[in-house]
Amino acid sequence: MSSFVEQLQAWQAGIDKMLAKRPERKKQFATISGLPIDRVYLPEDPGQEYADKLGLPGEYPYTRGVQPTMYRGRLWTMRQYAGFATAAESNQRYRYLLEQGTTGLSVAFDLPTQIGYDADHNLARGEVGKVGVSISSLKDMEVLFDQIPLDKVSTSMTINAPAGILLAMYIAVAEKQGVKPEQLRGTIQNDILKEYSSRGTYIFPPRPSMRIITNIFAYCAQEVPMWNTISISGYHIREAGSTAVQEVAFTLANGMAYVKAAMDAGLDVDEFGPRLSFFFNAHSEFLEEVAKYRAARRLWAKIMKERFGSTNPKSMMVRFHTQTAGCSLTAQQPKNNIVRVAFQAMSAVLGGTQSLHTNSMDEALSLPTQEAVTIALRTQQIIGYETGVTETVDPLAGAYYIEHLTDEIERRAEEYIARIDEMGGAVSAIEQGYVQREIQEAAYDYQKAVEDNERVVVGVNKFVVKEPPPSGLLRVDPKVREEQAAALAQLRSERDQKAVDSALVELKTAAEKDQNLMPHFLSCVRVYTTLGEICGTLRGVFGEYQAPTTI
Amino acid sequence: MHKIRVLAAKPGLDGHDRGVKVIAAALRDAGMEVIYTGLRQTPEQIVATAMQEDVDVIALSILSGAHDYLFPEVMKLIKEKGMDNVLVLGGGVIPEEDIPALKAAGIAEVFGPGTNTHKIVDFIQANAKPRG
C-alpha cells in the first residue's frame, strides 16, 4: 500500500516537471455544468492488485494509457486515410484535409503499387488508381507531396511488401525539400505477416520478407530515428472476420515474431522497440472495444518486459492508430454509417488511441467523396472538442464490466499466444494456415448469426426499407492507367539508364549477400528506378509467396 | 444426382477474401462442390481453371473497383471458349450504376455488400445448368 502512495507521489512529481515544459490544453478542466475534472480518478484505497493490473497512466503496465495526461495534454492525431487516382489528385485531397484541420497524412496506395508492379504492368490492368494513389517512381512521389513540408507533417503510409522502397522515396523527396531524414516523422505499415493471414498484398515468402523488415529497423534506428518502422496491424485481421480476442492475440503474436527476428539479427530490443507501433480496429461492440485496447496495452508491456527483457519503457508501450471498422458499414441506408462510425471512434478514444481514422459513410459503396470525408473528420472533432471524454484520463477504468472484459480479453489472447508458441511462432502458424482458418471460421459464424437474425444489423436484417440506388459516388477515371503508362514511358526515356542498371545490379548483389537493402533502395530511387524494376529484381532473388488454400 | 460445381474466384489484385470464403462455406453447406482459386487470378487463369474443373458456376469477387475491367474480360474469354452453359456471378463492392453494363457483358447477377448467402444459394439453384 505504502509503495503505491510513493509511486503516486513520484508520478505526480513527474507530471509537475513535465507540465512546466509542456502545459495541458487548459489551466482548469470542468464539465459543461462547471464541475471540476481531475486528471485521473483512482480507487479510494488502491491496493497492490490495482497497482499491478492498472497502475498509473504513462506507467507500466500502461493499462490506463501510455501518457500520464493523455488527451488533456494533446488530442489524438486526426489522420484520414486517403489517396486515389494520380499523385496530383491525391496531393489536392491532402492539401484540402490539412486545410480542414487534419493533423497527419495517411497515404493509400493502389494495388499495383502495394504489390510492386508499375502502372504499365499487365497485371495492373483495371487497378491503377482504384483503391489508392498510383506510385511507380520518385517522380510520382514528388508530385504527391508537392507543397507539403515534410518537416511539418507526419505521414503514415499503408505499404507493406515494398515499404522500404516507398520510405526511400519519401526520404528522397524530403532531401529535395531540404529536409533531413532525422527530421521525418511518420509510419510505414511494413507488417507483412498480417498480409499473409488477412490482407493479401504480399510479394515475397515470409523469411526474406522478415529479413527486409529487420533491415528497415536497423537502418531507421540510425538514420530516421523518429520514424515508426512498423505498424503491427490487427485492423485487417478484424476486417477479415476475427473476433476482438483474436485481433489482440494474432497482432501481438505477429509483433513477437518481428521482435524475435530483429533480435536474432543482432539488434537490441530497446534500440528498435520504441519505434514499434500498432494499428487496431474499432468495431461496433462498444465496451468490448474499449477493453480491447486496454488489454492489448497491458499484455504487450508484459511480453516486452518479461519475454524479451526490455528495460526501456518506450519499448513496452503500445502506441496505436485506430480505424473504425470498414466491415461494419452497410451499403443499405448509408447515412446510418455516420452513427456507427461515431460510436466506434468514441470507443477508440475511451481506449486511449494515439491517432484515429474515421470511415466515411459511403465506403461500403466506393471510395469516399469529399463531403463524406468531411463528415467523418467532423465526427472526430466533435468527440475531441465537445463531448468532454478527453478531459480525464481513462474515464471508464474501474467499471466492473470494463475491467472484467479487459481481464478476459487478455486471458483469452494469452491462450491463443500459447498455442501459437507451440506451433513455433506466428510465421509457422501462418505458414500452416492456422491463423487463416481461425479467422475465416469466426467470419462465417458471424455471417450465420446475422442471417439467422441472432445479430441485428440495422437496415440489413431489420428495419429494412426500399431505397433508391446511391448517387454521386466517387469514380476513378479509367484513363488514369493510360496517363500513368505514358508518364512512365517518358520517364524511362529521359532518365540516366546506366545509373539505373548499375543501381539494380548492386541491389541484386546486396539481396543475395544478406546486406542491408535500405541504402540500395535509396540509390535506386534517386536515379528514378521504378518500383516495379526494384521489386522485379528482388522477385528474382527471393521468389514469390504461394499462399496455402485454407478452404 | 450431379452436384453443382462452383469456382469461387478472385480476379485482380485485391486481397479481400473474407466475402468469397464466407460464400464458399455457405455454398458448400448448401450441398455444392466449391473450388477456390486463391488471390490474384488473371481472367485467363480463372477461365482455364473453370474449364479444367468443369464447373457449372463461376462466382467472381472483387472489392478494388476493377470489376468494370475484369468482369467483362472473364466473360469475353468464356464466350471465346464456348462455355455458354457456365453461370457467372459477381460480388463485392460494386456500385449499382455499374451493374447494367456488367449484365450486358454476360454476368448473370451481381450481389453487393450485405447480401444474404441464402439468396445466392437460391439463385444458383434456380439458374445453374448442371450437366448429367
Side-chain angles (χ1 to χ4, degrees):
Chain A
M1 175 56 211
S2 69
S3 79
F4 185 76
V5 172
E6 282 162 26
Q7 193 187 338
L8 188 59
Q9 282 163 351
W11 179 79
Q12 186 59 51
I15 287 184
D16 292 341
K17 246 168 85 185
M18 191 185 87
L19 292 183
K21 274 195 288 183
R22 243 180 325 129
E24 292 178 334
R25 284 183 289 118
K26 300 176 194 170
K27 269 215 162 79
Q28 274 163 345
F29 290 82
T31 68
I32 272 182
S33 320
L35 305 182
I37 306 174
D38 286 350
R39 184 168 298 124
V40 62
Y41 289 89
L42 299 170
E44 246 165 62
D45 185 14
Q48 196 56 45
E49 196 194 344
Y50 172 84
D52 292 344
K53 281 171 68 173
L54 292 147
L56 293 163
E59 292 192 357
Y60 188 86
Y62 305 102
T63 314
R64 302 204 61 181
V66 294
Q67 294 122 357
T69 61
M70 286 303 291
Y71 307 129
R72 285 167 68 108
R74 181 176 82 73
L75 297 183
W76 61 91
T77 302
M78 298 181 188
R79 194 191 292 282
Q80 295 296 93
Y81 186 45
F84 58 99
T86 60
E89 282 172 85
S90 296
N91 173 264
Q92 276 181 6
R93 175 70 67 95
Y94 298 155
R95 281 158 60 189
Y96 171 79
L97 284 167
L98 290 169
E99 276 162 28
Q100 294 303 309
T102 178
T103 47
L105 296 178
S106 174
V107 182
F109 297 99
D110 72 358
L111 286 162
T113 307
Q114 293 187 51
I115 303 174
Y117 295 121
D118 290 336
D120 56 358
H121 192 282
N122 201 25
L123 286 172
R125 288 176 300 168
E127 307 274 16
V128 175
K130 283 282 169 68
V131 303
V133 60
S134 167
I135 300 289
S136 300
S137 79
L138 179 59
K139 201 135 239 165
D140 297 321
M141 205 72 161
E142 289 164 3
V143 175
L144 188 65
F145 292 105
D146 182 39
Q147 295 179 57
I148 298 173
L150 299 189
D151 53 342
K152 300 282 189 325
V153 295
S154 84
T155 303
S156 164
M157 293 191 269
T158 298
I159 193 74
N160 293 279
I165 304 163
L166 272 298
L167 175 59
M169 289 186 192
Y170 193 79
I171 293 170
V173 172
E175 281 168 354
K176 297 197 169 192
Q177 290 187 1
V179 176
K180 296 198 180 74
E182 61 262 33
Q183 293 171 277
L184 295 177
R185 286 176 306 119
T187 308
I188 40 176
Q189 197 162 75
N190 200 23
D191 171 13
I192 200 66
L193 291 175
K194 64 90 176 57
E195 296 296 329
Y196 302 121
S197 73
S198 310
R199 190 169 174 274
T201 68
Y202 42 74
I203 303 178
F204 317 112
R207 314 277 157 176
S209 295
M210 295 297 280
R211 170 249 172 129
I212 300 175
I213 289 169
T214 55
N215 284 175
I216 295 169
F217 286 1
Y219 182 85
C220 290
Q222 300 305 318
E223 309 290 332
V224 205
M226 291 196 296
W227 196 266
N228 296 315
T229 48
I230 194 166
S231 169
I232 306 162
S233 304
Y235 183 80
H236 317 89
I237 293 171
R238 193 69 184 279
E239 286 293 293
S242 85
T243 64
V245 169
Q246 290 170 337
E247 180 188 354
V248 171
F250 298 155
T251 307
L252 300 193
N254 288 349
M256 289 159 56
Y258 296 122
V259 172
K260 190 171 175 304
M263 290 175 77
D264 288 349
L267 303 184
D268 183 299
V269 64
D270 286 326
E271 191 179 4
F272 65 87
R275 298 326 302 173
L276 304 178
S277 64
F278 290 82
F279 175 20
F280 291 111
N281 196 299
H283 213 288
S284 296
E285 182 88 28
F286 185 78
L287 296 168
E288 182 178 63
E289 293 301 281
V290 176
K292 178 185 77 181
Y293 310 115
R294 302 172 83 247
R297 267 198 300 270
R298 183 158 74 202
L299 186 49
W300 183 249
K302 208 154 69 181
I303 290 168
M304 285 301 272
K305 187 174 180 178
E306 293 174 6
R307 192 184 282 232
F308 295 116
S310 162
T311 54
N312 182 350
K314 289 210 157 63
S315 308
M316 302 177 208
M317 292 178 191
V318 166
R319 294 171 301 118
F320 67 103
H321 173 68
T322 307
Q323 179 170 340
T324 58
C327 63
S328 75
L329 301 183
T330 64
Q332 297 77 10
Q333 305 174 41
K335 283 186 182 152
N336 295 345
N337 292 328
I338 298 174
V339 183
R340 292 190 177 97
V341 167
F343 282 116
Q344 294 163 357
M346 181 66 110
S347 78
V349 170
L350 290 171
T353 195
Q354 276 59 59
S355 69
L356 179 60
H357 166 103
T358 32
N359 287 332
S360 300
M361 60 171 161
D362 49 3
E363 287 187 69
L365 304 160
S366 74
L367 288 192
T369 59
Q370 190 141 306
E371 187 201 2
V373 170
T374 308
I375 294 171
L377 175 61
R378 296 289 179 252
T379 305
Q380 292 197 41
Q381 291 163 337
I382 290 167
I383 294 173
Y385 294 100
E386 294 185 11
T387 66
V389 297
T390 50
E391 313 296 83
T392 187
V393 175
D394 190 24
L396 295 189
Y400 300 120
Y401 183 49
I402 285 286
E403 296 304 348
H404 166 77
L405 284 175
T406 305
D407 292 349
E408 197 60 14
I409 291 170
E410 182 188 25
R411 187 180 68 76
R412 290 177 187 233
E414 279 183 301
E415 286 176 4
Y416 261 118
I417 289 172
R419 223 167 306 157
I420 292 169
D421 278 341
E422 280 167 26
M423 302 173 90
V427 178
S428 302
I430 289 166
E431 283 174 337
Q432 292 168 40
Y434 168 74
V435 174
Q436 296 89 314
R437 271 192 303 275
E438 285 290 310
I439 295 171
Q440 81 206 30
E441 276 165 27
Y444 191 42
D445 289 346
Y446 178 86
Q447 180 68 20
K448 281 192 289 196
V450 171
E451 296 190 354
D452 297 343
N453 287 317
E454 279 166 29
R455 195 158 270 288
V456 171
V457 183
V458 172
V460 173
N461 64 359
K462 208 173 175 136
F463 315 112
V464 178
V465 293
K466 268 220 159 317
E467 51 189 332
S471 57
L473 299 178
L474 183 128
R475 317 284 305 186
V476 175
D477 192 333
K479 278 213 294 284
V480 168
R481 179 168 188 272
E482 286 136 54
E483 287 167 16
Q484 286 293 95
L488 265 172
Q490 197 186 348
L491 174 86
R492 287 189 226 268
S493 71
E494 285 172 0
R495 66 184 182 182
D496 180 351
Q497 189 60 41
K498 271 205 189 115
V500 169
D501 293 341
S502 80
L504 282 172
V505 168
E506 280 169 32
L507 172 72
K508 182 162 181 280
T509 311
E512 287 163 351
K513 291 205 173 139
D514 209 19
Q515 293 165 2
N516 194 314
L517 294 177
M518 272 306 290
H520 297 278
F521 292 158
L522 265 163
S523 14
C524 284
V525 304
R526 281 193 186 115
V527 294
Y528 296 95
T529 312
T530 67
L531 177 70
E533 290 161 345
I534 297 171
C535 290
T537 299
L538 296 178
R539 280 181 162 100
V541 179
F542 299 138
E544 288 189 84
Y545 178 65
Q546 302 301 327
T549 307
T550 50
I551 61 170
Chain B
M1 204 193 109
H2 178 88
K3 269 191 178 181
I4 298 176
R5 282 171 70 80
V6 183
L7 180 68
K10 284 288 296 175
L13 301 180
D14 93 83
H16 298 100
D17 57 2
R18 173 181 183 164
V20 76
K21 284 175 169 176
V22 162
I23 284 161
L27 299 184
R28 215 170 263 174
D29 282 357
M32 303 179 198
E33 279 180 50
V34 185
I35 302 132
Y36 173 49
T37 60
L39 302 178
R40 290 191 215 168
Q41 300 289 303
T42 62
E44 292 79 6
Q45 287 170 315
I46 291 168
V47 174
T49 309
M51 268 180 94
Q52 217 167 45
E53 297 286 348
D54 198 19
V55 298
D56 310 300
V57 180
I58 304 176
L60 301 168
S61 165
I62 293 193
L63 284 88
S64 71
H67 55 270
D68 53 355
Y69 175 77
L70 290 166
F71 283 4
E73 279 293 302
V74 171
M75 290 314 303
K76 200 173 88 191
L77 293 169
I78 284 192
K79 284 176 193 155
E80 275 172 28
K81 307 275 178 203
M83 298 160 66
D84 300 327
N85 278 333
V86 177
L87 179 73
V88 185
L89 311 175
V93 177
I94 295 171
E96 224 151 305
E97 60 200 62
D98 291 2
I99 294 175
L102 299 177
K103 286 193 172 169
I107 304 286
E109 192 53 86
V110 175
F111 298 100
T115 303
N116 192 307
T117 56
H118 297 124
K119 197 174 148 192
I120 300 171
V121 169
D122 292 347
F123 186 89
I124 292 176
Q125 281 168 345
N127 294 284
K129 305 180 195 93
R131 293 121 306 122

